[in-house]
């Protein structure tokens, strides 16, 4: 056993790895030579523990592992630690350990320690290298793909980015899909080569396809590599889409320049300036002139010229530039050239280098241009607008006919400047405009180009002082990169201006209309007030600025806002229908105004605008109330009218008042909407229908006519219709006032009958007179008497007519007096008796004594004075000598009565009546004239009566005279012999 | 109450008779002419009832209505204007014939005792016919 241990130890010493054995305390009981060498510790003279060989940071782990092995855990496959040498240096180790058993009891562990420094170093190197290559591959400018049998085994970020795939996606798709279908055969060919172990590098262009189907031109280079132990194709991919285009561009440019070089066709001569000999010429010279290079070298410059004298002269004078010279080709063709020459010395010779350019085409072009210019000039002249050209100083160089006419300068403009054709106040602006025109030149690749300026408005002025607005479109004239002036067009915009003004006026008119509208108006964009008119501002007591941009909904009371929001919601949903609604608006001062609103929508400049008209109902309501009152008033008037009132439309009764119902004994329901004619006697139908038809054609007329209505009880009544055309519910209708004149007619009839009776009586009398005259021709006196009788009876009737009036008036006075003034009443009765006795006694007399008459008159005047206290003054001045004359009875009384009847009489303006006898023996009854404005009845019968009575007497007739101040009655006095 | 009457005694009698009917009735004015009446009505409140003679010292009393709107009740009085009286009768306008008979007056006063005032003024045009009667 001992031997065996020794053998084992010797064997262990031979091993290159460290072999060790630990007891249960972790103390090293054995370590082979390699171990001692490796750790540099001295054994076994010292008690060393395993921990002494391990770096402090790994010691804890070691203890755990050792304890684990003591607890019967399987030996691990090896653990890595950092070992610590005696000199303090460190190195990585791998420990493989297993437990040691003695007599079935674990007594320790043993194991092998391998120095893994080298392996670690290689590992690190490898890792670093891998990382480096990985970075290189991933960040390679070229895409990299490794492909085997149509499967992508590896792809780098670059190719993923190029083709817009995730790297993972590559691994799941056939690689062939990455290629343009037309290029797949090329890939197949390469794959074929690779399968036959062809290692060669193959460069090939492929069109690759991105995820989005975009095609990328790619240059690839591929080779065969071993990847994961098998062969695979390795591709590097370069996007040449950009570079390929550049190549193409380059190719094009080269082509272009080559062609340009080829087209460079100026002939260049090198000439001896003194002799004119041609020393050299370029190939173009041969082409142009038709001589070969060798031929040219034998010629002089004059040989190619068609104007040799001029050529040699120019050469001698060292002319640098000859705009046109005619040269001659070998075949004799003469053609124009432009020459430019440079002079130099070569050795001792004067050398002239002449560039000759064939300008045949240019000359032709110039001619064409000149023709074209002519054409345009003619066109310009025909244009209705003014076309002008100015030089750089602003002087007019050209103006077409239209321009001359517009500016009123057909007879020439003198030497005025352009500014002189405009009002002075525009001059500054105009100069600026011209400067701006010139400044607007755009320098593009060094070439100045005129750019038309924006049109500008000016006020032009004619020589006669009249002004008109114009619009000018100006452009600078550029020649050889310099501003040489300006040209442009002038449009007379008087009309447009007028229209603009009219439009503005119209706009202003509409604005005024809106602003002065009776209704408030506002507009909403979004939910904000965008516009308000004055009326609404006034209505709400806000200024327009305050309302502007205010949420429109804030104008109405909170209770109504939901309703408003509902409308705006509808607007948002595209409902553009007009919406009416009543909203309560709240004015700034808090007053709530109930308003009828009308909102409509329209699109303005791409915005949805709601327009709302606001009609304040407060006023309307007030007016409605007023109307109601007025209606009530008129209804009362109509209903309480004493006349029947109806409205007839289309022949139907549309309205009847209560009086009408009363007249007709129908109730209202029985009348309304019934034909009017149903209530009218058939005899009247024709005329009434005619009137009705005329009314319905809107003919305006009124008429009063009599008709006959049939009452409900069947009784016919006579009515007077007063009708006129008017408007009822928007259509013409007859408004008819109906008066039941049955009663009046009865009275009329009575009067008619009385009149008729009188007439009959008269006729009877006449008949009798005629009979008498026929039978008794000689009884003339009888006839006269009969006539007298006739007249007498007439005035008797008249007297009776007068007397009752007087009687009633007197009785009235008397009645009043009885209680008030009993004494006076007594006297009044006495005088009244006198008067009546006199009337009764004398009414049949033809004449009475003036004296008797005057006594009667005194009594009569007494009665009048009591009746009209202090309103009447009768002054009788008749001398006694005249009292024996006679007069017709009651004449003076009648005249006094007339005066009272026709004149105003009051205490302040009493009626003055003077009675006297003039020198012609006429009894004068004169009263001052203060006529009453109206009379009840004035028959004129009184005066006529007096006249007739004097006629009966065959006496002088009385005279009645009305002056401005007086009424004068002159009654003749009759003298009885 | 107002009495418009150009005959002084007639006016006084009417006033007495009214007092006799009811002593509490106040006769606020006795007027004699159209012009005087117009002035009075313009300055004073309307009475309940007017006794109005047709023929006044300066004009027919209807002229008053053309100048002043009068809404109160009116009883016309006349002694002689028979035709006018008939016209009143036809139009339902109240009138009394002079000399006024006490019984008639009392009946008239009875009638107006409880009658409310009319709302609208008397239309002066309704008298045109009386002033210028239509000849049949």
């Amino acid at each position: 056993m001992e031997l065996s241990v020794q053998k084992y130890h010797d064997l262990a010493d031979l091993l290159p790895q460290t072999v060790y054995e630990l007891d249960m305390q972790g103390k090293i009981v054995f370590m082979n030579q390699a171990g001692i060498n490796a750790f540099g510790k001295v054994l076994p003279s010292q008690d060393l523990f395993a921990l002494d060989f391990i770096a402090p940071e790994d010691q804890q782990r070691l203890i755990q592992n050792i304890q684990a092995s003591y607890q019967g855990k399987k030996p691990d496959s090896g653990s890595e630690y950092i070992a610590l040498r005696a000199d303090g240096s460190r190195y990585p180790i791998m420990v493989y350990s297993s437990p040691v058993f003695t007599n079935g009891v674990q007594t320790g562990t043993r194991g092998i320690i391998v120095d893994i420094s080298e392996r670690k170093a290689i590992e690190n190197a490898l890792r670093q290298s891998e990382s480096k290559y990985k970075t290189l591959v991933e960040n390679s400018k070229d895409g990299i793909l490794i492909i085997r049998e149509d499967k992508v085994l590896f792809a780098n970020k670059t190719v993923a980015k190029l083709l817009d795939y995730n790297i993972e996606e590559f691994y799941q798709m056939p690689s062939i899909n990455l290629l343009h279908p037309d290029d797949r055969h090329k890939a197949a060919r390469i794959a074929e080569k690779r399968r036959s172990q062809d290692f060669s590098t193959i460069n090939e262009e492929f069109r690759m396809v991105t995820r989005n189907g975009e095609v990328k031109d790619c240059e690839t280079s591929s080779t065969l590599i071993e990847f994961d132990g098998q062969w695979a194709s390795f591709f590097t991919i370069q996007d040449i889409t950009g570079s390929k285009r550049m190549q193409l561009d380059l190719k094009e440019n080269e082509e272009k320049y080559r062609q340009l070089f080829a087209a460079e066709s100026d002939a260049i001569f090198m000439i001896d300036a003194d002799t004119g000999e041609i020393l050299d010429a370029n190939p173009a010279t041969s082409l142009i002139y038709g001589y070969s290079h060798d031929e040219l070298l034998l010629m002089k410059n004059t040989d190619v010229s068609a104007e040799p004298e001029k050529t040699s002269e120019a050469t001698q004078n060292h002319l640098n530039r000859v705009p046109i010279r005619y040269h001659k080709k070998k075949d004799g063709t003469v053609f124009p050239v432009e020459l430019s020459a440079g002079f130099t010395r070569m050795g001792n010779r004067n050398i002239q280098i002449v560039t000759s350019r064939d300008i045949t085409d240019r000359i032709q072009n110039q001619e064409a241009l000149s023709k074209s210019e002519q054409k345009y000039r003619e066109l310009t002249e025909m244009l209705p607008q003014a076309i002008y050209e100015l030089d750089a100083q602003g002087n007019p160089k050209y103006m077409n006919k239209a321009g001359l006419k517009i500016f009123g300068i057909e007879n020439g403009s003198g030497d005025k400047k352009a500014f002189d054709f405009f009002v002075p106040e525009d001059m500054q602006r105009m100069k600026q405009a011209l400067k701006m025109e010139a400044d607007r030149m755009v320098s593009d690749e060094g070439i100045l180009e005129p750019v038309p300026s924006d049109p500008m408005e000016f006020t032009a002025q004619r020589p006669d002082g009249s002004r008109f607005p114009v619009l000018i479109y100006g452009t600078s004239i550029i020649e050889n990169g310099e501003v040489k002036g300006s040209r442009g067009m002038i449009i007379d915009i008087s009309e447009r201006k007028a229209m603009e003004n009219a439009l503005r006026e119209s706009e202003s008119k509409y604005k005024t209309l809106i602003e002065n509208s009776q209704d408030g108006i506002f507009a909403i964009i979004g939910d904000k007030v965008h516009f308000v008119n004055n009326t609404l501002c006034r209505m709400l007591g806000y200024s327009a600025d305050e309302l502007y941009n205010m949420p429109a909904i804030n104008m109405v009371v909170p209770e109504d806002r939901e309703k408003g929001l509902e409308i705006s919601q509808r607007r948002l949903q595209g409902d553009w229908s007009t919406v009416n609604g009543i909203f309560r608006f709240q004015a700034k001062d808090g007053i709530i105004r109930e308003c009828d609103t009308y909102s409509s929508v329209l699109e303005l400049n791409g915005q949805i605008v709601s327009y709302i008209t606001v009609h304040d109902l407060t006023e309307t309501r007030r007016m409605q109330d007023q109307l109601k009152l007025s209606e009530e008033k008129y209804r009362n008037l109509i209903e309480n009218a004493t006349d029947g009132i109806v409205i007839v439309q289309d022949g139907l009764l549309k309205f009847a008042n209560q009086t009408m119902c009363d007249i007709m004994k129908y109730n209202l329901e029985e009348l309304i909407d019934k034909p009017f004619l149903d209530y009218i006697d058939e005899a009247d139908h024709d005329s009434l229908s005619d009137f009705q038809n005329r009314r319905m054609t809107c003919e305006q007329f009124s008429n009063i006519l009599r008709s006959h209505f049939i009452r409900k009880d069947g009784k016919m009544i006579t009515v007077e219709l007063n009708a006129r055309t008017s408007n009822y519910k928007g259509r013409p209708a007859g408004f008819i006032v109906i008066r039941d004149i049955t009663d009046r007619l009865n009275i009329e009839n009575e009067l008619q009958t009385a009149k008729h009776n009188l007439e009959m009586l008269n006729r009877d009398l006449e008949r009798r007179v005629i009979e008498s005259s026929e039978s008794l021709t000689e009884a003339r006196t009888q006839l006269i008497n009969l006539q007298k009788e006739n007249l007498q009876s007439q005035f008797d009737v008249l007297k009776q007519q007068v007397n009752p009036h007087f009687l009633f008036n007197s009785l009235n006075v008397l009645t009043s007096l009885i209680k008030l003034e009993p004494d006076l009443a007594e006297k009044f009765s006495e005088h009244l008796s006198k008067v009546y006795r006199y009337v009764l006694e004398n009414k049949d007399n033809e004449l009475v004594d003036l004296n008797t008459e005057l006594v009667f008159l005194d009594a009569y005047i007494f009665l009048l004075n009591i009746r009209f206290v202090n309103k009447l003054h009768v002054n009788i001045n008749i001398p006694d000598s005249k009292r024996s004359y006679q007069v017709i009875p009651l004449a003076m009384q009648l005249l006094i009565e007339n005066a009272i009847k026709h004149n105003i009489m009051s205490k302040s303006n009493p009626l003055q009546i003077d009675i006297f006898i003039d020198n012609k023996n006429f009894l004068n009854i004169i009263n001052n004239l203060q006529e009453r404005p109206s009379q009840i009845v004035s028959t004129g019968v009184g005066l006529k009566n007096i006249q007739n009575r004097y006629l009966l007497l065959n006496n002088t007739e009385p005279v009645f005279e009305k002056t401005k101040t007086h009424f004068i009655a002159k009654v003749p006095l009759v003298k009885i012999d | 109450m107002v009495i418009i009457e150009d005959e002084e005694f007639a006016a006084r009698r009417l006033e007495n008779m009214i007092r006799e009917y009811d002593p509490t009735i106040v006769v606020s004015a006795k007027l004699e002419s159209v012009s005087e009446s117009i002035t009075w009505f313009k300055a004073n409140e309307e009475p309940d009832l007017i006794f109005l003679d047709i023929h006044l010292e300066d004009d027919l009393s209807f002229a008053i209505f053309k100048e002043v709107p009068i809404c109160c009740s009116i009883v016309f009085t006349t002694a002689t204007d028979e035709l006018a009286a008939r016209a009143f009768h036809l139009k339902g306008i109240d009138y009394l014939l002079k000399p006024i008979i006490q019984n008639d007056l009392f009946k008239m006063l009875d009638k107006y005792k409880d009658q409310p005032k009319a709302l609208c003024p008397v239309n002066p045009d309704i008298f045109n016919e009386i002033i210028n009667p239509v000849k049949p």
Side-chain angles (χ1 to χ4, degrees), chain A residues 739 743-744 747 805 809 812 815-817 820 866-867 871 904-907 932-936, chain B residues 6-10 12-13 16 32 55-60 79-81 86 90 98-99 129 131:
Chain A
R739 183 169 298 165
D743 287 349
R744 192 170 86 192
I747 295 167
H805 286 187
N809 280 326
N812 184 35
T815 324
S816 309
L817 287 175
L820 299 169
I866 288 173
R867 186 178 164 205
K871 294 180 188 174
I904 291 171
M905 42 193 290
S906 64
K907 280 163 191 163
R932 294 172 69 89
S934 52
Q935 291 297 328
I936 292 184
Chain B
D6 63 342
E7 289 178 27
E8 187 182 323
F9 290 109
R12 283 169 62 187
R13 175 174 180 251
N16 285 347
E32 296 193 343
H55 194 98
L56 297 178
E57 56 181 38
D58 54 350
D59 199 354
L60 296 180
T80 56
D81 299 308
R86 283 192 177 220
L90 289 180
K98 293 194 286 190
E129 211 176 303
I131 300 165

Side-chain angles (χ1 to χ4, degrees), chain A residues 17-156:
Chain A
Q17 289 90 11
T18 303
V19 177
Y20 71 91
E21 207 177 307
L22 304 177
D23 65 9
M24 291 299 279
Q25 279 74 47
K27 196 172 120 184
I28 294 174
V29 290
F30 171 75
M31 183 169 275
N32 68 349
Q33 199 52 51
I36 290 163
N37 291 341
F39 288 110
K41 311 269 182 192
V42 183
L43 281 175
S45 58
Q46 291 167 287
D47 286 346
L48 285 173
F49 290 88
L51 283 176
D52 296 334
F53 297 91
I54 300 298
E57 64 266 30
D58 281 356
Q59 286 174 1
Q60 191 59 37
R61 198 156 50 88
L62 179 70
I63 291 165
Q64 283 170 0
N65 286 343
I66 291 170
Q67 279 173 352
S69 79
Y70 291 165
Q71 285 158 14
K73 295 272 171 63
K74 275 191 173 175
D76 51 27
S77 54
S79 298
E80 273 187 46
Y81 301 100
I82 302 295
L84 204 59
R85 288 203 186 87
D87 61 5
S89 64
R90 294 157 162 249
Y91 64 103
I93 54 169
M94 178 74 92
V95 180
Y96 301 90
S97 70
S98 60
V100 176
F101 292 97
T102 312
N103 302 327
V105 177
Q106 189 176 3
T107 55
T109 55
R110 73 162 71 90
I112 300 168
I113 295 171
V114 182
D115 181 349
I116 54 169
S117 305
E118 226 168 295
R119 201 177 86 198
K120 273 280 174 187
I122 292 166
E123 222 179 79
N124 278 340
L126 248 172
R127 194 173 292 126
Q128 272 177 20
S129 171
E130 196 261 351
S131 164
K132 190 176 79 187
Y133 284 110
K134 193 176 170 196
T135 311
L136 271 172
V137 166
E138 289 297 354
N139 297 313
S140 162
K141 231 178 115 272
D142 293 341
I144 293 168
L145 279 175
I146 299 173
I147 294 167
R148 183 189 299 134
E149 297 299 329
D150 202 20
K151 277 187 75 166
V152 176
L153 303 176
F154 175 82
N156 71 344

Side-chain angles (χ1 to χ4, degrees), chain A residues 753-779:
Chain A
T753 314
K755 189 182 151 213
H756 180 71
N757 287 344
L758 271 171
E759 275 170 3
M760 288 300 283
L761 191 72
N762 195 16
R763 221 172 286 150
D764 191 44
L765 282 168
E766 275 173 10
R767 190 168 46 79
R768 262 195 272 167
V769 167
I770 291 161
E771 275 172 10
S772 302
S773 67
E774 271 173 0
S775 56
L776 303 160
T777 37
E778 76 270 41

Side-chain angles (χ1 to χ4, degrees), chain A residues 242-403:
Chain A
S243 62
K244 186 157 188 190
R245 192 180 311 120
M246 218 153 77
Q247 207 179 32
L248 280 172
D249 289 351
L250 206 66
K251 217 169 171 183
E252 259 173 41
N253 272 343
E254 192 271 344
E255 177 79 14
K256 191 171 77 186
Y257 289 117
R258 199 168 46 77
Q259 280 177 3
L260 273 174
F261 295 144
E264 187 64 50
S265 55
D266 286 354
I268 301 169
F269 295 91
M270 188 194 277
I271 289 161
D272 185 321
D274 299 320
T275 64
E277 283 168 18
I278 296 170
L279 301 175
D280 200 355
N282 71 342
T285 314
S286 299
L287 281 170
I288 291 167
Y289 288 86
Y291 296 100
S292 71
H293 187 252
D294 292 340
E295 282 172 328
L296 285 168
L297 295 185
L298 298 172
M299 291 164 69
K300 286 189 169 182
N301 59 352
T302 48
D303 295 337
V304 294
S305 176
E307 301 161 294
E309 295 83 13
K310 284 188 181 168
T311 300
S312 49
E313 195 182 323
T315 310
Q316 278 161 22
N317 293 340
H318 285 209
L319 276 184
N320 279 325
R321 202 174 156 75
V322 179
I324 184 158
R325 168 75 25 93
Y326 285 92
H327 277 193
K328 201 165 62 185
K329 294 186 182 179
K330 189 181 180 183
D331 62 8
T333 315
V334 174
F335 64 106
V337 291
E338 183 190 71
L339 302 173
S340 60
F343 292 86
T344 183
R345 276 187 72 82
M346 253 171 79
N348 54 358
R349 287 167 107 173
N350 288 320
I351 302 295
Q352 186 188 27
I353 314 274
V354 179
T355 309
S356 164
R357 177 170 295 168
D358 183 349
I359 54 167
T360 312
D361 287 349
R362 192 200 296 171
I363 293 228
Q364 277 168 3
N365 282 344
Q366 264 171 4
E367 278 167 8
L369 207 66
S370 140
K371 272 183 197 162
S372 164
E373 198 267 341
Q374 180 65 26
K375 195 171 73 186
Y376 280 112
R377 183 178 280 266
E378 281 167 10
L379 268 173
T380 306
E381 285 297 338
M382 281 158 62
L383 277 174
Q385 291 91 8
I387 308 290
Y388 68 90
E389 230 177 88
L390 306 177
D391 65 14
Q393 283 72 46
N395 297 309
K397 267 168 67 189
Y398 165 74
M399 183 160 265
N400 68 347
K401 280 181 188 150

Side-chain angles (χ1 to χ4, degrees), chain A residues 528-798:
Chain A
K528 298 282 197 326
V529 174
H530 185 69
F531 165 81
V532 282
N533 73 344
N534 288 339
T535 314
L536 193 69
C537 292
R538 264 202 312 279
M539 208 184 276
L540 300 183
Y542 285 103
S543 71
D545 285 343
E546 284 174 311
L547 287 172
Y548 183 73
N549 260 344
M550 182 198 257
I553 208 73
N554 288 1
M555 290 195 286
V556 301
V557 298
E559 300 92 286
D560 284 0
R561 289 185 187 164
E562 200 179 319
K563 196 163 52 155
L565 290 171
E566 194 188 308
I567 294 175
S568 52
Q569 199 60 41
R570 279 165 63 183
R571 297 297 184 223
L572 281 176
Q573 286 161 6
D575 180 356
W576 283 23
S577 59
T578 52
V579 180
N580 290 325
I582 292 187
F583 281 94
R584 282 167 293 174
F585 282 72
Q586 188 144 27
K588 197 177 183 181
D589 56 11
I591 286 175
I592 291 171
R593 290 180 171 273
E594 193 169 6
C595 298
D596 199 359
T597 69
Y598 177 89
S599 111
S600 57
V601 185
L602 56 88
E603 195 175 324
L604 194 72
N605 300 332
Q607 282 182 301
I608 309 293
V609 186
S610 290
Y611 274 91
I612 293 114
T613 316
V614 181
H615 180 73
D616 189 353
L617 289 173
T618 322
E619 185 64 12
T620 314
R621 291 268 150 88
R622 200 177 62 81
M623 267 161 57
Q624 264 174 5
D625 287 349
Q626 257 181 7
L627 202 66
K628 220 188 218 162
L629 258 176
S630 168
E631 190 269 346
E632 201 172 295
K633 190 176 81 183
Y634 284 110
R635 188 154 44 77
N636 267 324
L637 255 171
I638 297 291
E639 287 299 346
N640 297 323
T642 49
D643 292 335
I645 297 172
V646 296
I647 297 172
V648 179
Q649 195 172 50
D650 302 323
L652 301 178
L653 277 167
K654 291 291 175 189
F655 171 82
N657 70 345
Q658 191 52 46
T659 316
M660 179 64 184
C661 296
D662 295 346
I663 290 172
M664 297 300 290
K665 311 280 184 203
Y666 280 104
N667 62 36
L668 192 61
E669 288 70 29
E670 290 170 316
L671 291 173
I672 292 302
D673 282 334
K674 301 288 181 337
F676 186 41
L677 291 179
D678 286 2
Y679 305 96
I680 297 166
D681 185 38
E682 267 187 53
D684 295 339
H685 279 194
D686 286 348
S687 60
L688 282 172
S689 322
D690 180 42
F691 285 134
Q692 278 183 24
N693 292 338
R694 280 169 62 194
R695 295 208 188 286
M696 292 314 290
T697 59
C698 294
E699 191 181 334
Q700 294 284 340
F701 67 100
S702 61
N703 57 340
I704 298 177
L705 74 156
R706 226 167 247 194
S707 183
H708 300 88
F709 281 16
I710 312 291
R711 292 200 323 214
K712 194 179 181 183
D713 57 15
K715 193 185 163 194
M716 187 192 285
I717 54 167
T718 308
V719 292
E720 193 176 83
L721 305 183
N722 186 344
R724 62 191 171 82
T725 314
S726 191
N727 212 341
Y728 182 68
K729 295 193 173 167
R731 296 183 47 240
F735 278 57
I736 306 170
V737 178
I738 295 153
R739 183 169 298 165
D740 183 353
I741 54 165
T742 316
D743 287 349
R744 192 170 86 192
L745 270 188
N746 288 341
I747 295 167
E748 273 174 11
N749 285 339
E750 276 173 40
L751 285 169
Q752 207 77 40
T753 314
K755 189 182 151 213
H756 180 71
N757 287 344
L758 271 171
E759 275 170 3
M760 288 300 283
L761 191 72
N762 195 16
R763 221 172 286 150
D764 191 44
L765 282 168
E766 275 173 10
R767 190 168 46 79
R768 262 195 272 167
V769 167
I770 291 161
E771 275 172 10
S772 302
S773 67
E774 271 173 0
S775 56
L776 303 160
T777 37
E778 76 270 41
R780 215 179 166 77
T781 41
Q782 261 186 336
L783 174 70
I784 291 164
N785 282 340
L786 268 173
Q787 279 178 327
K788 278 181 188 172
E789 265 174 49
N790 185 14
L791 283 164
Q792 184 69 41
S793 69
Q794 278 184 13
F795 95 81
D796 281 350
V797 168
L798 200 94

